[in-house]
Amino acid sequence: MAFPSAPCALWIVSLLTALFAAAVHSNIVSDEDPLQPMTSDETVSVGGMVTLTCRVAETDNSSLQWSNTAQQTLYFGEKRALRDNRIQLHRSTPTELSINISDVQLSDEGEYTCSIFTMPVRTARATVTVLGVPGTPQISGFEKPVPEGEKVTLTCTSTGSKPPAKLRWYKGDVEVQGRPDVVESVPDDPTYNVSSELTLEVTANDDNAKISCVVDHDSVKHGEKRSEQSLRVLYAPEVAITPEERMAIEGQRFSLQCSGKGNPEPTSYFWEKAEGELPPLAKADGAFLSFSVLNKSDNGMYICHAANDIGKGRGSYTLQVQGKGRNTEEKPDTTAMSASSGVDHAVIGGVVAVIVFILLCLLIVLGRYLIRHKGTYLTHEAKGSDDAPDADTAIINAEGGHSGAEEKKEYFI
Ligand SMILES: *[C@@H]1O[C@H](CO)[C@@H](O)[C@H](O)[C@H]1NC(C)=O
Ligand SMILES: *[C@@H]1O[C@H](CO)[C@@H](O)[C@H](O)[C@H]1NC(C)=O
Ligand SMILES: *[C@@H]1O[C@H](CO)[C@@H](O)[C@H](O)[C@H]1NC(C)=O
Ligand SMILES: *[C@@H]1O[C@H](CO)[C@@H](O)[C@H](O)[C@H]1NC(C)=O
């Protein structure tokens, strides 16, 4: 019973396969209808130009036609049908009808139709997507300098994008994370207004920092639309003390300058000595502390305080007065020292090289001696070696070479 049913099932399967193949084939044939017009979807930014191209593989000389989203005929062959100077014929041949639409508006978005007046009429559709170009971003929220440690919230806004643009924040060249974009839309306006907030806790280092907001959108190159806001931060002076003279030499004049970097600039300076009163011959005058005649007793740590409206800062400098006579000796001393250290290096290098050379010679001599003796030993033991460092040993090794090779084989197995 089961035996005859098997060929029957096979027959049904092959019939179905053939039918399916025929169906698929006929589908392909209809896709390859040489009179079927072909179009492509296009994306264009507001104000830009788009070319709509409609092609057929073959033609029976029937006319091609483009019509707009409202089914109005734009071009019938090379004949213009709608009076709109933005729409121009690009190319009209028996197999192609291409039109250009310039200064594209958001209202131009939609489905355009290409038809060929065969029997029956064949059509193809092309969807034009119009991108709303975002406006240059605007940063708001920063009106006046802020004291360090406080928070600043900046808001960046860009209007008129479609689809909604993405806003990015940068501090200098480094991207910083703002709050997620807020997207606004109103009825009857297909575009969006986008805004983003960035909150920063400012430090003294942020004074003059450049914060920028960049719009990311398909219709603009990255970084093309951006705006920048410089931060101004108020901070207490950071104090640095620099000596005016290169050296502090006993009996000579000497002075220190205190520079307070702050915003605003420091308004007052105050000098003191860590271990008590300022020396009588030291004159404090604003940012400067001058010694008319240095004395060893002036040694010690000097402190400068600088203040502005925001606060105070301090810095220190340790004065080490050098003896009059000793210093003149000391100066050549240091050069002599560095020179001698240079000589030392050369001498050490030379000595090391000589020692290494001697060691190498010794090694070679010792090696030759040992190998010669070892070779004799090996010959006695019927063991050779491939690496003969000289003729003598090579000859010696050749004598016992055979068993040596075997020994090697065993070793490697
Ligand atoms: C189309 O027209 C051209 C001349 O304009 C003619 O040579 C060609 O044979 C025509 N093709 C068909 C399919 O009618
Ligand atoms: C139409 O657009 C194409 C580019 O797509 C351009 O080369 C051509 O000059 C334009 N023609 C007209 C009439 O504007
Ligand atoms: C975007 O902002 C502009 C001006 O600020 C306003 O006129 C417009 O209605 C806003 N559009 C949307 C979609 O919110
Ligand atoms: C330094 O001061 C001491 C007393 O304070 C004085 O005796 C000495 O002469 C001074 N040295 C110089 C170089 O002025």
Short mmCIF file of all heavy atoms in Angstrom, two decimals, residues 49-53 86-91 98-102, ligand 2:
data_model
loop_
_atom_site.label_atom_id
_atom_site.label_comp_id
_atom_site.label_asym_id
_atom_site.label_seq_id
_atom_site.Cartn_x
_atom_site.Cartn_y
_atom_site.Cartn_z
N MET A 49 18.05 72.13 -3.93
CA MET A 49 17.45 71.73 -5.19
C MET A 49 17.43 70.21 -5.26
O MET A 49 18.35 69.55 -4.81
CB MET A 49 18.27 72.27 -6.36
CG MET A 49 17.55 72.08 -7.68
SD MET A 49 18.59 72.48 -9.08
CE MET A 49 19.67 71.09 -9.07
N VAL A 50 16.35 69.69 -5.83
CA VAL A 50 16.24 68.25 -5.98
C VAL A 50 15.92 67.93 -7.44
O VAL A 50 15.21 68.70 -8.09
CB VAL A 50 15.19 67.67 -5.00
CG1 VAL A 50 13.78 68.19 -5.30
CG2 VAL A 50 15.21 66.15 -5.00
N THR A 51 16.50 66.86 -7.93
CA THR A 51 16.21 66.41 -9.29
C THR A 51 15.39 65.14 -9.20
O THR A 51 15.79 64.19 -8.52
CB THR A 51 17.53 66.13 -10.05
OG1 THR A 51 18.31 67.32 -10.05
CG2 THR A 51 17.26 65.71 -11.48
N LEU A 52 14.24 65.13 -9.85
CA LEU A 52 13.40 63.93 -9.90
C LEU A 52 13.59 63.30 -11.28
O LEU A 52 13.38 63.95 -12.30
CB LEU A 52 11.93 64.29 -9.68
CG LEU A 52 11.60 64.88 -8.31
CD1 LEU A 52 10.11 65.20 -8.22
CD2 LEU A 52 11.99 63.90 -7.20
N THR A 53 14.02 62.06 -11.25
CA THR A 53 14.31 61.36 -12.50
C THR A 53 13.37 60.19 -12.66
O THR A 53 13.16 59.42 -11.72
CB THR A 53 15.78 60.86 -12.48
OG1 THR A 53 16.62 61.99 -12.34
CG2 THR A 53 16.13 60.14 -13.78
N ARG A 86 10.31 77.61 -10.14
CA ARG A 86 11.25 76.78 -9.39
C ARG A 86 11.40 75.41 -10.04
O ARG A 86 12.34 74.68 -9.74
CB ARG A 86 10.76 76.61 -7.95
CG ARG A 86 10.64 77.92 -7.17
CD ARG A 86 10.27 77.65 -5.74
NE ARG A 86 9.03 76.88 -5.64
CZ ARG A 86 8.90 75.76 -4.93
NH1 ARG A 86 9.90 75.30 -4.24
NH2 ARG A 86 7.75 75.12 -4.91
N ILE A 87 10.42 75.06 -10.88
CA ILE A 87 10.43 73.72 -11.48
C ILE A 87 10.85 73.84 -12.93
O ILE A 87 10.24 74.56 -13.71
CB ILE A 87 9.04 73.06 -11.34
CG1 ILE A 87 8.65 73.04 -9.84
CG2 ILE A 87 9.06 71.65 -11.91
CD1 ILE A 87 7.23 72.63 -9.58
N GLN A 88 11.96 73.18 -13.25
CA GLN A 88 12.55 73.28 -14.59
C GLN A 88 12.77 71.88 -15.15
O GLN A 88 12.99 70.93 -14.40
CB GLN A 88 13.91 73.99 -14.53
CG GLN A 88 13.86 75.43 -14.04
CD GLN A 88 13.25 76.37 -15.07
OE1 GLN A 88 13.32 76.10 -16.27
NE2 GLN A 88 12.65 77.45 -14.59
N LEU A 89 12.70 71.83 -16.48
CA LEU A 89 12.98 70.56 -17.16
C LEU A 89 14.49 70.34 -17.14
O LEU A 89 15.26 71.24 -17.48
CB LEU A 89 12.48 70.64 -18.61
CG LEU A 89 12.64 69.37 -19.43
CD1 LEU A 89 11.75 68.26 -18.88
CD2 LEU A 89 12.32 69.64 -20.90
N HIS A 90 14.91 69.17 -16.72
CA HIS A 90 16.33 68.86 -16.74
C HIS A 90 16.67 68.04 -17.99
O HIS A 90 17.59 68.37 -18.72
CB HIS A 90 16.72 68.11 -15.47
CG HIS A 90 18.15 67.65 -15.45
ND1 HIS A 90 19.18 68.44 -15.87
CD2 HIS A 90 18.69 66.47 -15.07
CE1 HIS A 90 20.32 67.78 -15.74
NE2 HIS A 90 20.05 66.58 -15.27
N ARG A 91 15.87 66.98 -18.25
CA ARG A 91 16.14 66.16 -19.43
C ARG A 91 14.84 65.48 -19.87
O ARG A 91 14.11 64.95 -19.04
CB ARG A 91 17.20 65.10 -19.10
CG ARG A 91 17.77 64.41 -20.33
CD ARG A 91 18.80 63.37 -19.95
NE ARG A 91 20.00 63.95 -19.37
CZ ARG A 91 20.59 63.51 -18.27
NH1 ARG A 91 20.08 62.49 -17.62
NH2 ARG A 91 21.67 64.07 -17.82
N SER A 98 13.34 64.04 -16.56
CA SER A 98 13.91 64.51 -15.29
C SER A 98 13.59 65.98 -15.12
O SER A 98 13.73 66.76 -16.06
CB SER A 98 15.42 64.32 -15.28
OG SER A 98 15.72 62.96 -15.32
N ILE A 99 13.19 66.32 -13.91
CA ILE A 99 12.89 67.73 -13.62
C ILE A 99 13.66 68.16 -12.38
O ILE A 99 14.01 67.33 -11.52
CB ILE A 99 11.37 67.96 -13.41
CG1 ILE A 99 10.83 67.09 -12.27
CG2 ILE A 99 10.60 67.70 -14.71
CD1 ILE A 99 9.43 67.45 -11.84
N ASN A 100 13.96 69.45 -12.31
CA ASN A 100 14.64 70.01 -11.14
C ASN A 100 13.65 70.89 -10.38
O ASN A 100 12.96 71.70 -11.00
CB ASN A 100 15.79 70.92 -11.59
CG ASN A 100 16.97 70.13 -12.13
OD1 ASN A 100 16.97 68.91 -12.11
ND2 ASN A 100 17.97 70.85 -12.61
N ILE A 101 13.63 70.73 -9.08
CA ILE A 101 12.85 71.65 -8.25
C ILE A 101 13.87 72.40 -7.40
O ILE A 101 14.60 71.78 -6.62
CB ILE A 101 11.83 70.93 -7.35
CG1 ILE A 101 10.95 69.99 -8.19
CG2 ILE A 101 11.00 71.92 -6.56
CD1 ILE A 101 10.02 69.12 -7.37
N SER A 102 13.96 73.70 -7.57
CA SER A 102 14.94 74.47 -6.78
C SER A 102 14.21 75.24 -5.68
O SER A 102 12.98 75.32 -5.68
CB SER A 102 15.72 75.40 -7.70
OG SER A 102 14.85 76.15 -8.50
C1 LIG B 2 19.19 70.22 -12.82
O1 LIG B 2 19.99 69.60 -11.83
C2 LIG B 2 21.17 69.03 -12.29
C3 LIG B 2 21.85 68.37 -11.11
O2 LIG B 2 21.03 67.45 -10.50
C4 LIG B 2 22.04 70.07 -12.91
O3 LIG B 2 23.22 69.48 -13.42
C5 LIG B 2 21.28 70.79 -14.02
O4 LIG B 2 22.07 71.85 -14.51
C6 LIG B 2 19.98 71.32 -13.51
N1 LIG B 2 19.22 71.85 -14.64
C7 LIG B 2 18.51 72.95 -14.55
C8 LIG B 2 17.77 73.34 -15.79
O5 LIG B 2 18.43 73.62 -13.55
#
